[in-house]
Amino acid sequence: QVQLVESGGGLVQAGGSLRLSCAASGGAVSYYAMAWFRQAPGKGREFVAAISRSTTTYFGDFVKGRFAISIDNAKNTVYLQMNSLKPEDTAVYYCAARWSRNPAYYTSTASEVAYWGQGTQVSVSS
């Protein structure tokens, strides 16, 4: 069973950047479809980005080229690079994983996620 720990959140001004990290233990991230979701106060969990085992990447419609997701297999860590941040990006960001035999599989649906991290707060001031 894989455990996920996020870090890198914080307070940033609009237009700034943050890089979130998701360190995995108990399993190699290369064996999982990995993703990031976020949840703002009073809202449901929203898909942000995903990377399949074949390293194809997918993004939520709101991202519009501002974010990038990547994997460092040597560090067993997944990253979310966020640029041009907006106040509406303020949320708790969660790392997510699901094992799949299919290397092309990815998930953008919270109900399909098998493992979650504890979340890291991102706050963007105007």
Side-chain angles (χ1 to χ4, degrees):
Q1 180 170 335
V2 67
Q3 292 85 44
L4 306 172
V5 178
E6 302 96 332
S7 61
L11 175 63
V12 64
Q13 289 188 331
S17 298
L18 282 174
R19 188 177 78 157
L20 306 185
S21 300
C22 171
S25 60
V29 291
S30 59
Y31 292 161
Y32 292 83
M34 302 298 298
W36 288 91
F37 289 77
R38 69 184 187 182
Q39 188 164 17
K43 295 188 177 182
R45 204 157 286 194
E46 179 182 33
F47 170 69
V48 178
I51 184 165
S52 68
R53 288 178 53 204
S54 61
T55 67
T56 302
T57 59
Y58 305 87
F59 297 93
D61 291 341
F62 69 90
V63 171
K64 299 188 186 303
R66 299 182 297 131
F67 297 177
I69 184 171
S70 60
I71 283 182
D72 185 331
N73 289 318
K75 296 182 178 180
N76 214 29
T77 298
V78 179
Y79 300 99
L80 182 68
Q81 177 67 45
M82 303 187 295
N83 302 320
S84 302
L85 284 163
K86 306 175 182 179
E88 51 264 43
D89 292 318
T90 295
V92 178
Y93 283 70
Y94 296 91
C95 182
R98 176 171 174 143
W99 183 87
S100 174
R101 190 183 303 274
N102 180 1
Y105 172 83
Y106 78 99
T107 181
S108 59
T109 304
S111 61
E112 293 182 354
V113 172
Y115 305 102
W116 292 99
Q118 84 289 350
T120 186
Q121 176 70 47
V122 171
S123 299
V124 185
S125 63
S126 57

